[in-house]
């Protein structure tokens, strides 16, 4: 496996960043996960825009997007695979043993892993922990993901593949690595960015392509929504068939099935929508 590490392509066995990298010591970094099909990245421009927004939100220098594109192309070429996930990581870089950043500049690492197709439907749980919609990191795709790791482990322990968070005022927000959509009286809704969720790229495309409304929703909509689905780079549009103890009708409902179809068609026809 070949990876891009700070300006060069390296075999994963010799790919190194410092043990004092801020990304490791204090979780000061940002990332993107980009799906590739047949060696072609999907929605790379949108991912790079979000990388820049996350860098600015965290006070990191703007990433050199030409270098990031070159790095992605080099890693894709060096690791041929049908379905892949590019992982772009950009961190605060080398620091002394403290929480101030050093002066050596950020680290850029790009790696590629294989992915298998997800099932069309999945089970989710809700968790009692909240997303802080007013926090400094709200809406940024940072490497400080430990809270998501804890929530996802709870989901896995309960036979689910995703955990959903409310925000601090009890509104439905997002999953550990996905956005959420619900159907109420036949109309598709998703929480607004102000709920504290990540501005998911799949979410934005699903809103554009399926006409979902951005609506503040209480967490308890999950108890009566007619349909629920998740969106993310690795799930695309994935129906939910169980939320906590509640079973939804098996198989994607009509609104979800249509959103899946539209997404597949349009994403298949336009790699950089
Ligand atoms: N929300 C969180 C917290 C995520 O980490 C992700 C993706 O990793 C998403 C939502 C979905 O975003 P995207 O569709 O851009 O993958």
């Amino acid at each position: 496996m070949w990876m891009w590490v700070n300006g060069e392509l390296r075999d994963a066995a010799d790919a190194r960043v410092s043990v004092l990298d801020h990304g490791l010591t204090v979780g000061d970094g940002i990332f993107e996960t980009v799906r590739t099909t047949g060696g072609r990245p999907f929605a790379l421009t949108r991912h790079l825009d979000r990388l820049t927004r996350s860098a600015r939100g965290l006070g990191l220098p703007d990433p050199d997007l030409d270098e990031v594109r070159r790095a992605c192309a080099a890693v894709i070429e060096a690791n041929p695979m049908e379905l892949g996930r590019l992982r772009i990581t950009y961190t605060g870089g080398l620091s002394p043993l403290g929480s101030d950043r050093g002066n050596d500049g950020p680290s850029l690492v790009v790696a590629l892993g294989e992915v298998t197709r997800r099932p069309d439907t999945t089970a989710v749980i809700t968790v009692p922990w909240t997303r802080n919609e007013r926090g400094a990191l709200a809406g940024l795709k940072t490497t400080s993901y430990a809270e998501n790791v804890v929530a996802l482990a709870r989901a896995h322990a309960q036979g689910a593949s995703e955990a959903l968070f409310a925000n601090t005022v009890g509104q439905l927000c997002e999953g550990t690595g996905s956005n959420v959509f619900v159907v109420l009286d036949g109309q598709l809704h998703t929480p607004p960015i102000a709920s504290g969720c990540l501005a998911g790229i799949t979410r934005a495309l699903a809103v554009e392509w399926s006409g979902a409304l951005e609506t503040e929703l209480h967490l308890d909509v999950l108890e009566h929504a007619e349909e629920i689905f998740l969106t993310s780079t690795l799930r695309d549009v994935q129906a939910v068939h169980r939320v906590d103890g509640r079973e939804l009708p098996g198989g994607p409902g009509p609104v979800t099935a249509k959103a899946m179809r539209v997404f597949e068609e349009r994403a298949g026809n336009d790699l950089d929508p």
Side-chain angles (χ1 to χ4, degrees):
M1 182 65 61
W2 293 90
M3 300 168 65
W4 182 275
V5 185
N6 292 333
E8 45 187 359
L9 211 49
R10 306 291 296 247
D11 186 86
D14 335 302
R16 301 272 181 276
V17 289
S18 168
V19 292
L20 294 182
D21 189 284
H22 242 213
L24 177 66
T25 56
V26 292
D28 173 18
I30 57 176
F31 75 104
E32 285 295 321
T33 298
V34 183
R35 183 161 58 75
T36 66
T37 311
R40 288 163 307 160
F42 177 67
L44 186 57
T45 304
R46 287 183 187 249
H47 282 284
L48 297 186
D49 286 349
R50 188 171 64 188
L51 190 74
T52 301
R53 287 201 307 276
S54 296
R56 290 180 183 170
L58 217 58
L60 289 168
D62 280 5
D64 174 349
L65 297 187
D66 289 337
E67 184 195 354
V68 181
R69 280 184 184 275
R70 266 200 323 281
C72 292
V75 170
I76 287 173
E77 196 187 339
N79 301 286
M81 64 183 70
E82 183 48 32
L83 287 181
R85 51 190 291 179
L86 271 175
R87 160 85 189 207
I88 303 167
T89 310
Y90 184 72
T91 75
L94 186 61
S95 72
L97 284 174
S99 50
D100 293 333
R101 289 179 187 142
N103 297 322
D104 289 4
S107 295
L108 171 68
V109 176
V110 179
L112 184 66
E114 229 154 341
V115 286
T116 47
R117 282 202 188 280
R118 302 261 176 165
D120 279 354
T121 74
T122 195
V124 303
I125 62 164
T126 54
V127 285
W129 310 301
T130 52
R131 280 277 193 261
N132 183 358
E133 70 282 6
R134 287 165 298 150
L137 302 186
L140 305 181
K141 197 159 167 68
T142 77
T143 53
S144 302
Y145 252 45
E147 191 158 48
N148 292 320
V149 171
V150 172
L152 191 59
R154 177 177 285 206
H156 289 162
Q158 295 182 28
S161 80
E162 181 59 305
L164 299 178
F165 290 88
N167 65 14
T168 64
V169 290
Q171 294 167 345
L172 179 63
C173 185
E174 65 174 346
T176 67
S178 62
N179 293 105
V180 59
F181 288 70
V182 297
V183 178
L184 301 168
D185 292 328
Q187 171 64 51
L188 190 55
H189 300 265
T190 194
I193 301 300
S195 69
C197 67
L198 184 75
I201 286 161
T202 326
R203 170 192 180 280
L205 294 172
V207 167
E208 267 172 50
W209 293 345
S210 294
L213 302 177
E214 298 178 88
T215 312
E216 288 180 0
L217 302 159
H218 194 270
L219 185 68
D220 67 14
V221 292
L222 299 175
E223 292 165 19
H224 55 85
E226 294 125 52
E227 300 175 39
I228 304 172
F229 66 77
L230 305 177
T231 59
S232 81
T233 292
L234 298 178
R235 296 175 192 267
D236 291 341
V237 175
Q238 188 181 40
V240 169
H241 65 75
R242 174 162 55 86
V243 51
D244 294 325
R246 177 183 175 217
E247 296 285 343
L248 283 95
V255 179
T256 306
K258 187 166 172 214
M260 286 169 136
R261 216 169 37 245
V262 169
F263 190 87
E264 202 175 314
E265 273 169 29
R266 300 209 44 176
N269 286 330
D270 186 356
L271 286 174
D272 219 354

